[in-house]
């Protein structure tokens, strides 16, 4: 057994057991956890544009009322349905029956939807401006610019509208030629395909040709007979789609395509505009994903101007955030990069020359929040205090001086006023469901807006502790241990371990419920389990080396870390390590099946949701980043092909898959089940019709009841389902 050093971080922050209180139901744990059992909040809280006053809404009897407050001013009713309708009547609009959700922080005014239109109401002048016409209410892809132009898709083609203008920009849109949508399977931080310029008069957009990509069938089982709908799904090592970036000038009515050049199979990521609309910038990544060029293009002609700088990595490089020009200084921009091993901020001249690295250390910048009024200070969130907390900091662009602006060992979520002088600090910890403060960042004066009580006060919950431990190799890992209600240290309890272990996900945070959005861990603890939630190597926000441990051999580092966690569990006198279950979804589903086959017998039961079982069948962009191509890394693909190792299985294994999964296609599970049948190995299989990669909505309770029952029936001695 490897020696593990355990440091309890929060030994005094446990939840007391209330033996006579009620148990959570699965609906409580999975559905109401985000509703009636979520910590109290100030719903829709936001700053009013160019103001230090805040607004939020609450239900007052049968009506929604907006309240307004500020430093030294208690929140009072600000906008009722009656007062909104009075303003609407002055503009000539009919009254509404229900209060709409309103965005008060826009320069355009109060922005909300009215009878299918997106409107901006000027509350002083009682004037209304139409931002998006009612005709666009049924259109999926819509993007509005600051000058009133709106781009949208109709019958696969791209259109621009403003007032009476309605201009069709393209004519060849189809299932194969896709305009204005996210490309590259939403990797590299890409979540849309339309990008208005600073002035709102020019539009950059993606054009994706996927005619060369293989079709993949997704069956709609609600039709009789069942109906096949093909999607384009580029698998690792196969042909990928080709992407271009077009630019439309609404004033000159001119459309050009940027000369991004060859090869066609490259990734055009992180599109950004210059403040004067002259240039478009693209982080171009080669298909091998080990080389990035930040390139500048002329928006008038589409011509390539120059490469500002390059980044290379012997494993992979992954730009996720576009360059951002400094407020009030169009000659400088901010770039985020993990080139030194951690995600940090770099200040550049517009010509591409590096001025300075603004942040540095063995921690990650997780988000940029904005600037102060003069543009001298940049605000950002980071893990500098701890990987499991988030805090707001500022850095002076001239001097490099940094300042921490949030307090306490918590997970902070922050809203800043437009001048950066006042913040709304929304934070929580394992013992603190939610606290919201209004803080003046100049005077340091703060006011308490909300102190939420525990929504679980009426339930029999057990202890939970966040801890960290070091593996035999000295790698520091975090986990959360949930103990049963009415815990008896003299008893032996079965165990369930939940994990993910893949990029862009972090399970453990020093926030309410240790970062979990539901109460399933507590639900299982109430039913007699010790539950361990674990972040292994490969997880997010721990630096480049921590993540890149998965390179070319997915699952190996995670399995090693889990073995160390199992050794820790074995050191606990109250744990029955002869009755342990393992659960993971997606990448965690792959990790789960992989561990059951590579280390048979450690866990007696396992559940794998939406698991990758053969990386050859997963998408190009994600897979080749972490595994290279099957041609370049045949041994890595062979060693991670779970279908070829099914005969190693010992214990019970349940596979779960959404029937319409277009991310990890169902063929992964089908092939694994077929291999199990061929080898005479028993596995269990559950499908969820109508669901894609994640099972959401009311069916999520059904899913977690299925998972819970599987562990209850296979790990508890009584083999009875309890507390449904």
């Amino acid at each position: 057994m490897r020696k593990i050093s355990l440091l309890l971080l929060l030994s005094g922050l446990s939840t007391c057991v209330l033996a006579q209180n009620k148990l959570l139901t699965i609906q409580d744990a999975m559905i109401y956890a985000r509703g009636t059992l979520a910590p109290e909040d100030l719903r829709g809280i936001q700053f009013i544009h160019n103001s230090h006053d805040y607004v939020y809404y609450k239900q007052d009897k049968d009506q929604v009322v907006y309240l307004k407050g500020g430093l030294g001013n208690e929140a009072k009713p600000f906008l009722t349905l009656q007062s909104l309708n009075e303003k609407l009547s002055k503009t000539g609009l009919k009254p509404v029956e229900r209060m709409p959700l309103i965005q008060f922080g826009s320069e355009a005014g109060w922005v909300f939807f009215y009878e299918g239109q997106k409107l901006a109401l000027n509350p002083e002048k009682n004037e209304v401006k139409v931002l998006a016409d009612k005709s666009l209410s049924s259109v999926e892809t819509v993007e509005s610019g600051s000058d009133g132009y709106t781009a949208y898709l109709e019958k696969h083609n791209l259109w621009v509208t403003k007032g009476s203008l309605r201009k069709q920009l393209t004519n060849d849109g189809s299932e194969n030629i896709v305009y204005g949508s996210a490309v590259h399977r939403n990797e590299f931080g890409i979540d849309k395909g339309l990008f208005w310029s600073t002035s709102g008069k020019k539009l950059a957009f993606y054009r994706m040709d996927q005619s060369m990509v293989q079709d993949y069938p997704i069956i709609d089982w609600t039709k009789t007979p069942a109906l096949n709908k093909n999607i384009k799904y580029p698998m690792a090592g196969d042909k990928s789609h080709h992407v271009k970036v077009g630019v439309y000038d609404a004033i000159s009515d001119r459309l050009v395509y940027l000369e991004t050049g060859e090869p066609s199979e490259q990734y055009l990521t992180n599109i950004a505009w210059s403040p004067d609309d002259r240039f478009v910038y693209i982080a171009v990544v080669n298909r091998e994903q080990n080389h990035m060029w930040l390139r500048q293009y002329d928006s008038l002609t589409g011509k390539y101007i120059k490469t500002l700088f390059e980044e290379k990595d012997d494993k992979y490089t992954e730009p996720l955030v576009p360059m951002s020009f400094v407020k009030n200084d169009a000659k400088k921009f901010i770039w985020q990069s993990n080139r030194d091993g951690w995600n940090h901020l770099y200040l550049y001249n517009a010509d591409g020359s590096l001025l300075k690295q603004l942040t540095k250390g063995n921690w990650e910048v997780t988000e940029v929040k904005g600037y102060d009024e003069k543009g001298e200070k940049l605000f950002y969130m980071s893990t500098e205090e701890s990987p499991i907390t988030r805090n707001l900091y500022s850095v002076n662009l001239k001097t490099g001086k940094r300042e921490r602006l949030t307090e306490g060992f918590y997970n902070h979520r922050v809203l800043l006023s437009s001048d950066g002088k006042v913040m709304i600090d929304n934070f929580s910890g394992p013992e603190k469901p939610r606290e919201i403060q209004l803080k003046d960042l100049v005077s340091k004066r703060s006011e308490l807006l909300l102190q939420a009580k525990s929504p679980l006060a009426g339930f029999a919950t057990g202890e939970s502790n966040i801890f960290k431990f070091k593996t035999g190799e000295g790698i520091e890992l975090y986990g959360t241990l949930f103990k049963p209600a009415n815990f008896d240290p003299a008893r032996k309890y079965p165990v369930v371990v939940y994990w993910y272990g893949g990029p862009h996900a972090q399970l453990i945070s020093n926030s309410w419920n240790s970062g979990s959005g539901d109460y399933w861990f507590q639900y299982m603890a109430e039913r007699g389990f010790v539950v361990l939630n674990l972040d292994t190597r490969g997880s997010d926000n721990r630096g480049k080396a921590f993540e890149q441990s998965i390179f070319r051999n997915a699952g190996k580092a995670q399995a090693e870390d889990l073995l160390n966690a199992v050794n820790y569990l074995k050191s606990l006198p109250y744990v029955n390590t002869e009755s342990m279950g393992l659960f993971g979804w997606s990448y965690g589903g792959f990790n789960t099946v992989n561990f059951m086959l590579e280390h048979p017998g450690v866990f007696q039961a396992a559940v794998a949701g939406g698991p990758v079982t053969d990386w050859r069948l997963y998408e190009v962009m994600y897979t080749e980043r972490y595994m290279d191509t099957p041609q370049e890394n045949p041994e890595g693909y062979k060693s991670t092909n779970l279908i070829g190792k099914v005969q190693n299985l010992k214990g019970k294994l349940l596979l779960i898959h959404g029937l319409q999964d277009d991310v990890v296609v169902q063929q992964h599970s089908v092939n694994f089940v077929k291999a199990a049948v061929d080898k005479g190995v028993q596995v269990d299989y559950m499908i969820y019709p109508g669901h894609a990669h994640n099972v959401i909505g009311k069916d999520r309770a059904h899913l977690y009841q299925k998972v819970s029952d599987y562990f209850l029936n296979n790990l508890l001695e009584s083999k009875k389902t309890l507390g449904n």
Side-chain angles (χ1 to χ4, degrees):
M1 180 184 297
R2 289 176 179 164
K3 184 178 180 181
I4 299 179
S5 173
L6 174 66
L7 172 63
L8 289 176
L9 295 177
L10 305 165
S11 57
L13 306 181
S14 59
T15 304
C16 293
V17 177
L18 302 175
Q20 302 303 315
N21 289 358
K22 60 184 178 179
L23 299 180
L24 292 160
T25 67
I26 201 68
Q27 287 76 22
D28 290 331
M30 304 311 303
I31 306 300
Y32 304 139
R34 291 175 171 83
T36 56
L37 287 179
E40 183 185 0
D41 200 358
L42 300 180
R43 293 187 291 176
I45 191 166
Q46 57 188 291
F47 281 108
I48 296 176
H49 180 64
N50 279 341
S51 169
H52 294 165
D53 290 337
Y54 63 88
V55 174
Y56 67 93
Y57 68 89
K58 71 174 184 178
Q59 192 80 23
D60 184 10
K61 296 181 181 179
D62 60 343
Q63 294 290 344
V64 171
V65 176
Y66 278 96
L67 292 89
K68 183 178 75 169
L71 285 165
N73 297 315
E74 183 181 351
K76 296 180 179 180
F78 165 62
L79 186 66
T80 65
L81 183 63
Q82 179 181 347
S83 59
L84 175 63
N85 281 328
E86 289 174 358
K87 288 185 175 294
L88 291 177
S89 66
K90 292 178 181 179
T91 69
L93 295 177
K94 295 184 298 182
V96 294
E97 295 182 358
R98 298 179 62 184
M99 178 71 79
L101 292 176
I102 302 176
Q103 178 186 351
F104 293 94
S106 171
E107 292 184 13
W110 297 358
V111 177
F112 57 94
F113 283 93
Y114 173 90
E115 295 187 349
Q117 301 179 93
K118 187 177 183 180
L119 302 181
L121 170 66
N122 184 317
E124 285 78 30
K125 298 181 179 180
N126 292 316
E127 296 176 349
V128 167
K129 183 178 181 180
V130 177
L131 300 181
D133 189 74
K134 184 178 181 179
S135 62
L136 302 179
S137 60
S138 61
V139 177
E140 290 186 7
T141 303
V142 179
E143 189 79 14
S144 298
S146 59
D147 196 56
Y149 289 97
T150 297
Y152 65 97
L153 294 180
E154 184 177 287
K155 296 180 179 179
H156 300 294
N157 281 301
L158 186 58
W159 294 71
V160 167
T161 182
K162 181 182 180 182
S164 60
L165 170 70
R166 190 168 181 267
K167 172 75 174 180
Q168 184 172 350
L169 303 187
T170 66
N171 296 287
D172 60 341
S174 67
E175 294 285 350
N176 285 327
I177 305 297
V178 180
Y179 285 100
S181 301
V183 298
H184 306 322
R185 298 285 297 177
N186 295 80
E187 296 294 326
F188 309 103
I190 298 170
D191 60 5
K192 65 177 186 176
L194 299 169
F195 310 87
W196 284 103
S197 66
T198 308
S199 72
K201 295 179 172 63
K202 293 183 179 182
L203 174 72
F205 60 89
Y206 280 126
R207 178 190 189 272
M208 176 171 61
D209 180 358
Q210 52 183 3
S211 59
M212 68 293 297
V213 177
Q214 63 186 359
D215 289 333
Y216 194 90
I218 301 292
I219 308 299
D220 181 357
W221 297 93
T222 64
K223 303 291 192 299
T224 303
L227 181 66
N228 173 56
K229 181 179 180 180
N230 286 326
I231 63 170
K232 294 292 186 177
Y233 194 95
M235 292 182 175
D238 290 347
K239 290 184 178 297
S240 184
H241 53 240
H242 300 172
V243 172
K244 294 181 179 180
V245 175
V247 174
Y248 174 68
D249 188 327
I251 304 303
S252 65
D253 192 27
R254 185 183 182 191
L255 173 62
V256 298
Y257 282 91
L258 305 184
E259 297 178 357
T260 50
E262 297 293 334
S264 299
E265 291 192 356
Q266 60 183 351
Y267 303 120
L268 307 182
T269 78
N270 296 279
I271 293 175
W273 280 94
S274 63
D276 61 4
D277 290 7
R278 284 191 59 195
F279 306 113
V280 177
Y281 300 87
I282 302 177
V284 180
V285 180
N286 62 343
R287 175 158 174 173
E288 292 77 14
Q289 299 188 55
N290 57 12
H291 198 161
M292 185 280 298
W293 300 264
L294 184 59
R295 288 176 172 164
Q296 180 183 27
Y297 299 88
D298 190 313
S299 68
L300 294 175
T301 65
K303 291 189 176 299
Y304 163 74
I305 297 176
K306 67 176 181 178
T307 294
L308 273 64
F309 59 82
E310 305 175 29
E311 288 188 355
K312 297 180 181 179
D313 193 280
D314 59 357
K315 293 183 175 67
Y316 55 84
T317 182
E318 185 186 7
L320 290 168
V321 182
M323 62 189 293
S324 173
F325 280 87
V326 173
K327 182 178 180 180
N328 300 330
D329 190 350
K331 295 180 179 179
K332 298 183 180 69
F333 68 87
I334 303 295
W335 180 254
Q336 296 190 40
S337 173
N338 66 357
R339 65 181 64 159
D340 73 348
W342 304 83
N343 191 59
H344 283 297
L345 305 176
Y346 296 81
L347 180 64
Y348 276 88
N349 271 323
D351 62 6
S353 58
L354 177 63
L355 292 173
K356 66 178 71 172
Q357 182 173 348
L358 293 172
T359 60
K360 189 176 181 61
N362 294 346
W363 45 270
E364 300 259 293
V365 171
T366 58
E367 184 184 5
V368 169
K369 301 297 295 186
Y371 294 87
D372 67 355
E373 194 169 18
K374 295 181 180 180
E376 295 177 351
K377 289 183 179 180
L378 177 67
F379 299 98
Y380 64 91
M381 306 296 293
S382 86
T383 65
E384 183 172 356
E385 178 188 39
S386 167
I388 62 171
T389 64
R390 298 292 182 274
N391 284 286
L392 178 69
Y393 295 81
S394 68
V395 58
N396 188 294
L397 301 186
K398 292 182 179 179
T399 66
K401 181 182 178 181
R402 296 187 300 109
E403 180 183 5
R404 176 173 166 172
L405 302 171
T406 48
E407 300 173 351
F409 196 75
Y410 298 117
N411 228 53
H412 296 265
R413 294 186 292 115
V414 170
L415 292 175
L416 286 172
S417 61
S418 54
D419 61 5
K421 292 182 179 179
V422 179
M423 74 170 172
I424 298 169
D425 185 10
N426 186 332
F427 59 96
S428 70
E431 85 297 354
K432 185 186 290 291
R434 187 188 312 279
E435 185 170 317
I436 301 179
Q437 292 184 1
L438 184 68
K439 185 173 182 178
D440 188 317
L441 296 177
V442 179
S443 68
K444 307 302 181 185
R445 173 187 173 190
S446 64
E447 294 181 6
L448 179 66
L449 303 184
L450 174 71
Q451 180 76 66
K453 297 178 181 179
S454 172
L456 297 181
F459 293 89
T461 56
E463 269 188 11
S464 63
N465 293 99
I466 296 177
F467 64 95
K468 62 180 177 179
F469 63 90
K470 288 186 178 181
T471 68
E473 293 79 14
I475 300 166
E476 195 168 75
L477 302 176
Y478 284 85
T480 306
L481 199 68
F482 295 80
K483 292 181 181 178
N486 300 316
F487 174 72
D488 180 356
R491 285 185 57 188
K492 290 278 191 179
Y493 293 95
V495 176
V496 171
V497 177
Y498 182 80
W499 64 336
Y500 182 81
H504 305 304
Q506 181 181 4
L507 301 181
I508 312 300
S509 68
N510 197 60
S511 54
W512 172 243
N513 203 31
S514 300
S516 177
D518 56 60
Y519 300 130
W520 185 73
F521 302 132
Q522 290 284 10
Y523 174 88
M524 293 300 289
E526 284 180 342
R527 282 147 184 83
F529 287 88
V530 169
V531 184
L532 174 62
N533 189 18
L534 180 67
D535 275 326
T536 65
R537 279 176 290 171
S539 302
D540 205 9
N541 300 313
R542 294 293 305 277
K544 183 163 64 172
F546 194 84
E547 179 188 284
Q548 289 188 341
S549 61
I550 69 175
F551 185 63
R552 290 175 67 92
N553 201 348
K556 184 176 184 294
Q558 291 98 327
E560 292 172 356
D561 291 347
L562 182 54
L563 284 172
N564 278 274
V566 167
N567 287 337
Y568 164 66
L569 290 171
K570 288 180 178 179
S571 73
L572 302 177
Y574 51 84
V575 165
N576 179 6
T577 53
E578 298 301 314
S579 187
M580 298 202 302
L582 185 62
F583 178 28
W585 198 275
S586 192
Y587 197 102
F590 159 76
N591 275 334
T592 295
V593 179
N594 181 64
F595 191 93
M596 292 293 287
L597 302 179
E598 287 290 323
H599 303 279
V602 175
F603 289 90
Q604 289 68 48
V607 179
V612 172
T613 62
D614 180 357
W615 286 103
R616 168 68 181 85
L617 302 181
Y618 197 57
E619 60 191 34
V620 165
M621 301 80 190
Y622 187 98
T623 307
E624 293 181 4
R625 179 185 312 131
Y626 304 119
M627 290 288 290
D628 282 339
T629 66
Q631 297 81 8
E632 294 166 328
N633 184 21
E635 288 303 314
Y637 279 81
K638 181 180 178 181
S639 67
T640 57
N641 186 337
L642 309 183
I643 297 165
K645 297 185 286 188
V646 67
Q647 66 276 5
N648 297 345
L649 180 65
K650 291 182 181 179
K652 303 288 289 185
L653 174 61
L654 170 62
L655 302 181
I656 302 178
H657 225 115
L659 202 55
Q660 278 68 51
D661 196 335
D662 57 355
V663 177
V664 179
V665 294
Q666 195 179 157
Q667 190 171 1
H668 287 271
S669 288
V670 170
N671 286 358
F672 189 88
V673 171
K674 177 63 167 63
V677 172
D678 291 344
K679 297 289 186 180
V681 176
Q682 291 293 329
V683 296
D684 297 308
Y685 189 31
M686 178 68 183
I687 58 171
Y688 277 89
H691 290 278
H693 190 49
N694 292 301
V695 178
I696 58 176
K698 64 180 181 62
D699 292 349
R700 194 161 181 82
H702 187 284
L703 162 69
Y704 271 82
Q705 190 68 70
K706 171 66 68 175
V707 175
S708 303
D709 288 349
Y710 201 74
F711 291 131
L712 286 161
N713 291 328
N714 287 296
L715 297 178
L716 286 184
E717 290 183 7
S718 63
K719 297 188 181 297
K720 292 180 180 179
T721 302
L722 305 175
N724 292 342

